[in-house]
Amino acid sequence: MTADTWAGPWHDTRLPLTERVDALLAAMTPEEKAGQLGSYWHRPDDEPGGDVAPMEGDMTGPAAFEAAIEHGLGHLTRVFGTAPVPVADGVADLRARQAAVVRASRFGVPAIAHEECLTGFTAYGATIYPTPLAWGAAFDPELVEEVAAAIGRDLRAVGVDQGLAPVLDVVRDYRWGRVEESIGEDPYLVATVATAYVRGLQSTGLVATLKHFAGYSASRAARNHGPVGVGARELAELLLPPFELAIREGGAGSVMPSYAAVDGVPPTASRALLTTLLRDEWGFGGTVVSDYWAVPFLRRTQRIAADDDGAGALALAAGVDVELPETVGFARLAPGPALDEAARRVLLQKGRLGLLDPGWAPRGDHDADLDSPANRALARRLAERSVVLLANDGTLPLRAAGRGPGRVAVIGTTAVQPRTFLGCYSFPNHVLARYDGDGLGVAVPTLLEALRTELSDAEVPHAAGAAITGDDRSGFAAAVALAAQSDVAIVAVGDLAGMFGSGTSGEGCDAPDLALPGVQAELVTAVLDTGTPVVLVVVSGRPYALGALAPRCAAVVQAFFPGEEGGAAIAGVLSGRVEPSGRLPVAVPRTASGALPTYRAAPLAQRSDGISSLDPAPLYPFGHGLSYTTVEYRDLTLSTASMPADGQVDVTVTVRNAGRRPATEVVQLYLTDHVAQTVRPVRELIGYRRVPLGVGEARRVTFTVHADRTSFPGLDLRRVVEPGTFTLAAGPSSEMLPVAAELEITGDAPRVLAGPRVMTTPARVD
């Protein structure tokens, strides 16, 4: 760059940022403005087969980096996350590319460097945290915020500015491959946990990106990129609230539209979503970045544009600001107000990141430790809190008072394959799986290793039994023989995440039904037939049907891809070193049949008494999870039995540990609307709180419920609070609510809500 580069008012930090950006825009040519909306993704020439992003092999961007940055550049795509790059090499590459971008710009404007960070920084050697479905199982937004801050510090340490996370898609069909990336099936749980992640990541100075706006998880037949046929009410009530909370209260800096067309309109081309709702109604002031190649998809797969330039024009007019991962549809944008508005938003974001400041230089620590002991300790805490004890006849914990573990057989490939602990956006499954070799870049102890450490005085032999996929039963005999000679058999089954059909879970790995993959269910049955007590451990990215297996098991444990410390976390729960406190963020189905209703369904959807031959009742409901003690609920009281449509009520419940071990209870508060102008769910979660309880200890939990928390889209789709009778019930799951009280909302007519509303239910513990 030259000395003249820094001569403009856009680098004068004494001026308001808006004035600096307006001055810069006024000096830019249309080509330079368009340059700020593009991106570049360098992929090695010797990159092995298999796509990192959908249809990657069918897409080509600019022929050379120099051509891509000729007029400036908006984003640099995944310098660290595309190939196994050591930290020092990645930092050097990013610095060199940023220097080139600055030299190519008349105004010295760097690019925003973005990376994936859903289960941690998706880079070689970075900590692999539990997957988002495990965040939901932990019911612990505060801990998720801590984890996100740690991820943000690592990203920032090597020069990254923006993270493409979290995912706020509410699970609608368990067969969908991206269930593992979602936080759960309840919009309030998704909203609160995702907003905590946003706060944590952005507390480090990074930009968080909300994915995938909106409706993606409701695709027909649970097929990736499938059309979404939901109505406006379901969209407004179930699928949009997490995004709204993350924007209004989390301050999210970026939003990524989804691939799937909603009622025939791709969100990437929907001005109603990206401008009218997102910006005009919700006041979003950040940037909208396209999902990878979603702009050319408007032509190539959705056929609403005749060519890539037309696709770019549609996306820009709708409100997309940056095309990722490389510039295709935005390569030749026409001058005009839409171009100016998008460029202004991108430059404002760059200004907030400090990229317009005089003296800016690319940062990056060549020696950054991306898998520090502190990171691993956080990963273990979250993993431990996410493990769910579904059933137990007293066999667990293995180290019960006065009883040793004896001979413990460990059966299953999941017990010895560390990749089964990791989600599809972990670097080993996302990138390294396409390379030869078994290296993971980080230490991931297996469940077998962890159990042998945990039960050091026991004999812990192993037999694979069967692979995760395929129909090879040749290992059954050895597994059965081992189980028959043991005091207890731990049978570990589940998923191996991958991308676009390369795994049993993950993006593009949708399931035809909810049966365990391969012949794993047959293996469990064969071991059960020995008569040895079986502890079934499911490590998966979605819930699987366990109705034919669980009732025969001594205990059942569920872990949703618990990350690099997952082996120790599961082993700790099995031994009793860790008190189980995870709760189900998705129900576990009884049967493997296809689309089952989630818990937040209308009365008719949850009935089977002659209405349908299909029983929709789950085996284990949303919110379910046991501990190694007994917790009692009593004395639910309301501060008032009636309130106006803009009032609030304190709901207090007492929980007491009546057992002989400490526990952490997840106290859940549900609302039932007795009569409404539209069909309402049987119940909906409106509050929750983790409560530690010592032996014999009782504590009071008080939820403050504003009347806005009873609101819903009325007949005309305006959100209303209706007068009427409601039940507020508390308990350990959506189907076990031992204490309840009725609340009356008074008034003569519904109260119409316009603009911001109370979207959370604060709780305190005394």
Side-chain angles (χ1 to χ4, degrees), residues 56 70 160 242 285 292 374 384 463 491 508 541 584 593 607 610 623 643 674:
E56 175 188 338
E70 181 181 2
V160 177
Y292 283 18
E384 288 176 348
V491 184
L584 286 176
S593 61
R607 294 181 62 175
M643 67 179 184
H674 290 201

Side-chain angles (χ1 to χ4, degrees), residues 209-287:
T209 308
L210 309 183
K211 305 193 302 188
H212 306 87
F213 188 68
Y216 189 29
S217 57
S219 59
R220 289 193 180 120
R223 189 175 184 276
N224 194 37
H225 293 207
V228 175
V230 301
R233 182 166 287 101
E234 183 175 348
L235 192 68
E237 186 171 0
L238 287 172
L239 303 175
L240 291 176
F243 293 92
E244 184 177 3
L245 186 70
I247 288 166
R248 292 196 188 275
E249 298 191 15
S254 188
V255 170
M256 177 182 283
S258 93
Y259 289 121
V262 179
D263 195 24
V265 180
T268 303
S270 173
R271 187 168 180 83
L273 273 178
L274 303 185
T275 298
T276 303
L277 178 65
L278 187 62
R279 293 195 171 101
D280 296 345
E281 293 186 25
W282 292 355
F284 175 65
T287 58

Side-chain angles (χ1 to χ4, degrees), residues 17-18 20 205 207 253 285-287 344-357:
L17 180 58
T18 53
R20 295 166 62 194
V207 174
T287 58
R344 187 174 192 273
R345 287 190 288 264
V346 172
L347 291 171
L348 281 170
Q349 189 159 85
K350 290 187 174 184
R352 296 185 194 107
L353 290 167
L355 303 186
L356 303 184
D357 292 352

